[in-house]
Amino acid sequence: MKFKKNIATSDTGFVFNPGSGDSFSSNQIGTDIIACFKEDKSRQEIIELISDKYDVERNQLEKDLEDFLTQLREHNLLEE
Amino acid sequence: MEKLRYERPIIKKLNTGFVNKFGTQTKNEVVSHLEGASVKELIHQYGSPLFVISEKQIRRNFQHASRVFKTRYPKVQFAWSYKTNYLNAVCRVFHQEGSWAEVVSGFEYEKALGNGVPGNKIIFNGPDKTEEQLILAAQNNSLIHIDHFDELYMLIKVSEEFSLKPRVAIRVNMDTGIYPKWDRFGFNYENGQAWSAVTKIIHSGLLSLVGLHCHIGTFMLETAAYGIAATKLSELAHKIKANFGLAVQYLDLGGGFPSTNTLKGSYLPGTDTVPTIDQFADTISEAILGAGFDQEELPLLILETGRALVDDAGFLLGTVLANKRLSDGRSSTILDIGVNSLFTAFWYDHKVTPAQEGGQYTEETVLYGPLCMNIDIIRENISLPLLKRGDHVVVHKVGAYNMTQWMQFITLRPNILLLDQNSHPHVIRQAETLNYLQSGELVPEHLAKSSLS
Ligand SMILES: Cc1ncc(COP(=O)(O)O)c(C=O)c1O
């Protein structure tokens, strides 16, 4: 699981893939997670960081993180 | 440090050309209260799912429709279409407002009597009336609307046998320019069937022909069709007067006005496309007033309006069970509301709103019910904020046909609550229990002993 290197992101949630020309919008928590990916944080670290910042149970977050990865994969934003 | 409010992470593709920093932002309507009552509280107290009916809205609808017609035509009578919603509490609100009852089966007929409707204010429609029911209706001086020749002959026979003189009308079907034609009910106008039924009734000397009835369709979007129907019934009335010297007392134009729901597959929401009740009233009253009746013989106009009077008074509250990503990447949400209770999900794209504040982000999602079957879909595609397990939703405009056509399948039917005019809640139908469900079941003796241990 690795975010594609060439993808541009802004801290307002705007994501641009110069390879395909597609642009995306993510909510705040999605933006935070993407920022973690770009810093090569592990899944475990991401869960720690996010659950420190947001009011969420770990189980819920783990499940939703899995779903977010599916979305990123759907949008071709992850390295295979 | 206080933690931030959580919502699921999502990322959505933006349409090129329309990129801006608010690309996915839409204004989300949240309905957290119904007439001051908190959705969360109601569910906490009465369970989920939960039907809620607003008495205030029913009365508002009725009084509006009544005013609209009565300011255009001097003699108007509404008859509540029982099949649309025959919960006794609901029927009684309509009767308090002055509605007669329109029924299409023996048990509906008995319900109307039980709700205190005098026999002579019950209209008995439908193709399935037994001999006993016809006798009872005739003895009660009800208005019997004859659907077919077999029924007509049966009624003549029992009237003779029991020395009754029932008050009758015939149901007429006709070409009103609407396709498909509803020609399976009643006697056809154009091919002369209706006329021969009239002739038969009058020549029998045993039945008293007091009215003419039609119900040309449901969720009708063409006001003109009602103009045609009213004109044809008026012509038939004139012909009866000319041939037999008999003035029919009423024309019953049936039901069929649409509610403001959005029909499946329509591009625009119902609120933008559906004609108003005023437009139907204009067309109908112009047609009858222009038909040349003598002032003293102007027929009473009866309306059997169903869904237009009750749909938007009903709400279905429910709860999110789970979120799931489908194999094609689409998001889906599973609710505890299935098509077994929300039958009209087959016809309408119901408006569904969250009952709690969510983030500004929305997601296109499929709304599924909890049943183990593929057809259990509440909305095929709807844009909603990111719901999570335990969140509540409100389905709007569910007052018509759900609480009568619902199915007892897999889950038990929920409580139905009436919010009275002061918004006080009253349970008007209790949630079903296993005992209730099995109360009619019998186990033969040879199966009584359990064989597995
Ligand atoms: C004879 C008759 N009258 C009235 C109605 C009520 O129709 P609606 O709910 O379309 O107004 C119906 C519904 O099918 C009907 O069959």
Side-chain angles (χ1 to χ4, degrees):
Chain A
M1 164 202 86
K2 237 182 153 72
F3 210 61
K4 279 188 180 161
K5 279 278 172 290
N6 59 342
I7 286 172
T9 57
S10 81
D11 49 13
T12 56
F14 185 70
V15 177
F16 180 63
N17 179 353
S20 63
D22 290 335
S23 38
F24 304 88
S25 165
S26 182
N27 55 358
Q28 187 54 50
I29 184 168
T31 313
D32 291 351
I33 295 171
I34 290 172
C36 292
F37 285 149
K38 296 199 92 176
E39 294 167 18
D40 282 331
K41 295 225 178 340
S42 73
R43 197 176 294 213
Q44 213 41 51
E45 285 172 310
I46 294 176
I47 288 174
E48 295 296 337
L49 279 164
I50 297 293
S51 57
D52 275 352
K53 183 168 173 188
Y54 291 89
D55 183 19
V56 60
E57 285 177 25
R58 289 184 82 92
N59 286 345
Q60 179 73 42
L61 180 57
E62 273 180 38
K63 177 184 156 282
D64 291 343
L65 182 59
E66 208 49 57
D67 180 59
F68 191 57
L69 287 169
T70 312
Q71 296 175 51
L72 295 174
R73 206 170 292 123
E74 276 296 318
H75 292 315
N76 274 316
L77 295 170
L78 298 184
E79 302 277 9
E80 289 314 318
Chain B
M1 192 184 77
E2 198 167 329
K3 292 190 179 183
L4 298 177
R5 206 183 147 278
Y6 177 77
E7 72 178 0
R8 276 185 284 132
I10 57 156
I11 181 164
K12 296 208 302 195
K13 190 163 169 178
L14 298 172
N15 292 327
T16 37
F18 295 98
V19 178
N20 68 52
K21 113 178 192 284
F22 306 109
T24 56
Q25 189 174 353
T26 41
K27 182 83 197 95
N28 291 310
E29 186 185 351
V30 173
V31 177
S32 60
H33 288 72
L34 297 175
E35 294 179 2
S38 146
V39 168
K40 196 171 169 187
E41 275 303 305
L42 290 175
I43 286 182
H44 180 69
Q45 201 164 349
Y46 300 100
S48 179
L50 174 69
F51 277 102
V52 178
I53 298 173
S54 158
E55 178 174 348
K56 222 189 275 179
Q57 189 61 32
I58 295 181
R59 291 189 192 269
R60 207 157 29 211
N61 289 344
F62 184 86
Q63 288 162 10
H64 174 70
S66 180
R67 190 175 334 111
V68 162
F69 271 93
K70 286 179 177 164
T71 49
R72 286 165 175 79
Y73 191 81
K75 294 156 78 181
V76 181
Q77 178 62 52
F78 281 86
W80 176 239
S81 156
Y82 264 47
K83 72 179 99 41
T84 307
N85 188 322
Y86 45 55
L87 290 163
N88 291 332
V90 169
C91 296
R92 283 166 185 254
V93 174
F94 281 104
H95 299 323
Q96 268 190 4
E97 289 290 336
S99 253
W100 294 359
E102 184 269 329
V103 304
V104 291
S105 71
F107 93 76
E108 285 188 8
Y109 186 89
E110 283 176 41
K111 246 176 175 292
L113 288 177
N115 284 326
V117 183
N120 66 354
K121 293 184 171 158
I122 304 177
I123 294 171
F124 201 169
N125 277 324
D128 175 19
K129 312 180 193 83
T130 65
E131 212 169 281
E132 296 72 46
Q133 288 160 1
L134 286 172
I135 294 167
L136 178 67
Q139 285 167 341
N140 286 333
N141 208 19
S142 299
L143 298 164
I144 300 173
H145 287 187
I146 303 168
D147 189 82
H148 45 74
F149 279 110
D150 289 304
E151 185 171 76
L152 174 52
Y153 283 94
M154 179 160 61
L155 191 56
I156 289 174
K157 189 189 85 163
V158 299
S159 300
E160 199 157 27
E161 266 174 43
F162 295 87
S163 311
L164 299 163
K165 181 123 192 196
R167 296 192 300 155
V168 305
I170 55 164
R171 174 155 175 181
V172 180
N173 71 64
M174 61 186 83
D175 184 358
T176 57
I178 293 295
Y179 186 82
K181 272 190 253 173
W182 277 34
D183 58 1
R184 55 177 282 192
F185 304 107
F187 303 91
N188 185 253
Y189 177 77
E190 286 83 12
N191 72 8
Q193 220 175 44
W195 183 247
S196 58
V198 165
T199 313
K200 178 79 198 161
I201 288 170
I202 291 174
H203 285 157
S204 79
L206 293 163
L207 314 179
S208 165
L209 181 68
V210 290
L212 297 172
H213 173 230
C214 68
H215 171 71
I216 58 177
T218 193
F219 213 94
M220 302 284 291
L221 297 168
E222 297 285 338
T223 54
Y226 282 90
I228 296 172
T231 302
K232 287 185 176 174
L233 286 192
S234 301
E235 281 168 8
L236 190 54
H238 285 313
K239 192 168 169 190
I240 294 168
K241 177 78 202 247
N243 282 265
F244 304 109
L246 174 76
V248 299
Q249 295 163 20
Y250 67 84
L251 302 182
D252 179 346
L253 269 281
F257 304 150
S259 69
T260 52
N261 257 306
T262 303
L263 282 181
K264 267 185 184 298
S266 59
Y267 186 64
L268 293 165
T271 37
D272 297 345
T273 54
V274 163
T276 62
I277 213 135
D278 305 57
Q279 291 169 286
F280 287 104
D282 279 339
T283 312
I284 292 171
S285 51
E286 271 168 32
I288 306 178
L289 290 173
F293 287 102
D294 285 345
Q295 193 58 35
E296 327 65 80
E297 290 181 355
L298 202 59
L300 173 71
L301 168 61
I302 296 181
L303 296 157
E304 302 169 349
T305 310
R307 70 179 80 230
L309 294 180
V310 79
D311 226 4
D312 66 356
F315 304 85
L316 182 52
L317 318 185
T319 304
V320 173
L321 300 177
N323 286 299
K324 233 180 215 187
R325 186 130 329 248
L326 303 175
S327 61
D328 61 4
R330 279 182 307 153
S331 144
S332 74
T333 298
I334 306 172
L335 301 175
D336 63 355
I337 295 170
V339 292
N340 53 349
S341 32
L342 191 64
F343 185 84
T344 53
F346 292 129
W347 305 341
Y348 298 138
D349 283 337
H350 277 291
K351 173 175 163 183
V352 182
T353 52
Q356 55 286 305
E357 289 295 337
Q360 56 169 303
Y361 274 80
T362 58
E363 190 178 34
E364 300 272 311
T365 188
V366 191
L367 286 185
Y368 289 122
L371 307 179
C372 307
M373 52 192 313
N374 243 352
I375 59 163
D376 191 25
I377 302 174
I378 300 305
R379 283 290 303 267
E380 265 128 42
N381 189 352
I382 182 171
S383 183
L384 284 174
L386 311 178
L387 297 168
K388 58 180 187 305
R389 180 174 165 83
D391 279 350
H392 300 308
V393 296
V394 177
V395 185
H396 297 255
K397 299 177 191 172
V398 305
Y401 296 104
N402 283 304
M403 287 156 257
T404 50
Q405 291 196 61
W406 53 1
M407 295 163 273
Q408 190 288 303
F409 179 62
I410 299 188
T411 62
L412 297 167
R413 288 175 278 209
N415 274 318
I416 302 179
L417 210 61
L418 180 80
L419 293 177
D420 70 18
Q421 298 194 82
N422 301 314
S423 302
H424 291 312
H426 305 262
V427 174
I428 58 169
R429 190 176 193 276
Q430 292 176 331
E432 291 176 355
T433 59
L434 183 59
N435 270 345
Y436 165 87
L437 181 61
Q438 297 186 141
S439 62
E441 282 193 48
L442 301 167
V443 176
E445 200 167 337
H446 70 283
L447 300 173
K449 229 176 76 197
S450 67
S451 43
L452 301 176
S453 58

